[in-house]
Amino acid sequence: MLKYKTVKEVQAALKAVREKKQTIGFVPTMGALHEGHLALVKEAMEDNDFVVVSIFVNPIQFNNKVDLEKYPRVIEQDIKLLEEVGCDLLFYPEFEEMYPDGEPPEVDYNVNGLDKVLEGAFRPGHFSGVITVVKRLFEIIAPDRAYFGMKDYQQLLIINTFVKNYNIPVEIVPVPTEREEDGLALSSRNRLLKPEHRREATLLYEVLKRAKIRSGFQTVEDLKRDVVRKFKKAKYAELEYFELVDLYTLKPIVTWVQSSHVIALIAAKVGDVRLIDNMIIYM
Ligand code: AMP
């Protein structure tokens, strides 16, 4: 696997790839890789001749400084996993390489307002930071396809809308969520959970599954109340939001017949680790 920290080196390597008329698949990550990330890499390897993974803990998408400091960094382990899976090139720049002029300002990109709700409402500036880094990475790598996990559904939808609205010639490919055996969605943050918190973290998956089963039988309002009640009974888990929304507009649904595409999204803190998950209820 080629490993580079500078834009110059990456671009020289990719020039040679393009000259051979090979397609480039790209997987942006923040490292602390797990099977969820590797599912994206494997999918990219199936669709493309050459696969690039980036690892960059992007400070401008963290609205919480403690969260940024605590974010796991295990680059040696990550390199090993990427070599095993057969990734072609790793780009793992330092801050100065990504942002030579210092921290870029917050930008209000036009993504049809999708960045203003849910995660956007709870994490001010988060999506501006995400779009800024993805835009910069796309400019550096110029991939044919880029792979994003359904686990961060709102992010996936926003990136998809961003490339359409700004005519960026990259195909965005969604990849289903990888889960632990008990349903907990794989996340780099899971490794920060204390054992007793880890046990209770399955509550996110449990309420999503219940929402799927109960949809149509219970009113949307009753279902949401049930979820709030379940979290009130929990010892460590604290609900931030549980919303049922239209899959494409993210507008809340009030009745089950209101939309033919519905997704449930949840965010909760377990101990001091913030987790998100989602499940398509129907489409
Ligand atoms: P991150 O390193 O958290 O920024 O994630 C990098 C990419 O991996 C994003 O597109 C995520 O949506 C995706 N990802 C994270 N966790 C999972 C998972 N459990 N299953 C599938 N994709 C995931």
Side-chain angles (χ1 to χ4, degrees):
M1 181 172 69
L2 302 166
K3 299 191 286 280
Y4 298 124
K5 278 179 175 288
T6 68
V7 173
K8 218 173 148 184
E9 288 167 301
V10 171
Q11 289 188 327
L14 293 181
K15 188 165 175 265
V17 173
R18 249 176 243 110
E19 274 166 8
K20 286 189 269 175
K21 301 263 179 277
Q22 292 190 324
T23 56
I24 297 168
F26 174 48
V27 181
T29 83
M30 298 204 298
L33 303 180
H34 49 65
E35 283 299 326
H37 297 111
L38 298 184
L40 273 64
V41 178
K42 287 175 194 164
E43 181 93 30
M45 286 170 64
E46 275 188 23
D47 301 346
N48 303 278
D49 303 310
F50 194 90
V51 172
V52 178
V53 171
S54 66
I55 294 180
F56 178 63
V57 182
N58 176 34
I60 64 165
Q61 74 184 68
F62 284 79
N63 54 314
N64 180 327
K65 254 192 124 159
V66 181
D67 188 24
L68 171 63
E69 275 159 23
K70 278 195 323 196
Y71 202 83
R73 290 160 173 91
V74 286
I75 190 68
E76 292 309 322
Q77 260 182 48
D78 289 346
I79 289 174
K80 205 163 153 257
L81 286 173
L82 290 174
E83 274 173 345
E84 274 167 18
V85 78
C87 167
D88 296 295
L89 190 155
L90 168 66
F91 177 45
Y92 59 128
E94 301 294 336
F95 177 88
E96 292 73 23
E97 188 68 15
M98 283 303 283
Y99 303 123
D101 301 326
E103 228 170 76
E106 198 174 316
V107 179
D108 194 14
Y109 296 100
N110 169 21
V111 285
N112 306 350
L114 296 167
D115 57 337
K116 306 288 184 257
V117 297
L118 302 162
E119 286 300 282
F122 276 82
R123 302 182 69 189
H126 170 64
F127 285 120
S128 166
V130 170
I131 299 172
T132 299
V133 78
V134 168
K135 177 173 178 286
R136 173 116 177 92
L137 288 166
F138 282 3
E139 284 161 359
I140 296 166
I141 290 152
D144 297 280
R145 301 184 187 88
Y147 294 77
F148 288 85
M150 292 281 294
K151 153 78 168 41
D152 300 278
Y153 179 73
Q154 189 177 6
Q155 167 175 286
L156 162 69
L157 191 63
I158 286 173
I159 297 297
N160 208 16
T161 306
F162 171 70
V163 299
K164 287 210 176 92
N165 287 359
Y166 290 82
N167 299 308
I168 294 164
V170 180
E171 182 190 338
I172 304 301
V173 184
V175 180
T177 302
E178 291 284 325
R179 299 179 179 280
E180 299 278 6
E181 241 169 59
D182 61 6
L184 177 66
L186 297 185
S187 163
S188 304
R189 288 188 172 87
N190 291 355
R191 56 176 92 201
L192 303 173
L193 291 165
K194 297 197 178 99
E196 62 273 29
H197 297 172
R198 167 63 188 84
R199 278 192 290 277
E200 214 176 78
T202 55
L203 192 54
L204 282 86
Y205 177 67
E206 278 159 28
V207 301
L208 289 170
K209 222 172 47 180
R210 198 174 147 92
K212 188 158 179 136
I213 296 164
R214 291 285 171 102
S215 68
F217 292 102
Q218 210 174 11
T219 69
V220 171
E221 211 32 60
D222 282 346
L223 182 57
K224 285 171 74 171
R225 255 199 300 271
D226 262 5
V227 171
V228 171
R229 222 175 288 135
K230 273 204 165 303
F231 270 86
K232 283 235 167 84
K233 279 197 219 145
K235 213 163 163 190
Y236 311 106
E238 214 178 293
L239 183 67
E240 274 192 5
Y241 63 77
F242 170 82
E243 293 293 341
L244 291 142
V245 301
D246 180 275
L247 191 60
Y248 303 112
T249 65
L250 301 184
K251 292 228 161 55
I253 63 152
V254 182
T255 66
W256 293 115
V257 289
Q258 193 182 331
S259 165
S260 45
H261 324 277
V262 176
I263 186 167
L265 298 127
I266 189 166
K269 267 190 155 175
V270 187
D272 48 14
V273 181
R274 188 174 183 279
L275 300 175
I276 58 170
D277 199 354
N278 64 74
M279 195 177 284
I280 293 178
I281 302 297
Y282 48 77
M283 66 184 298

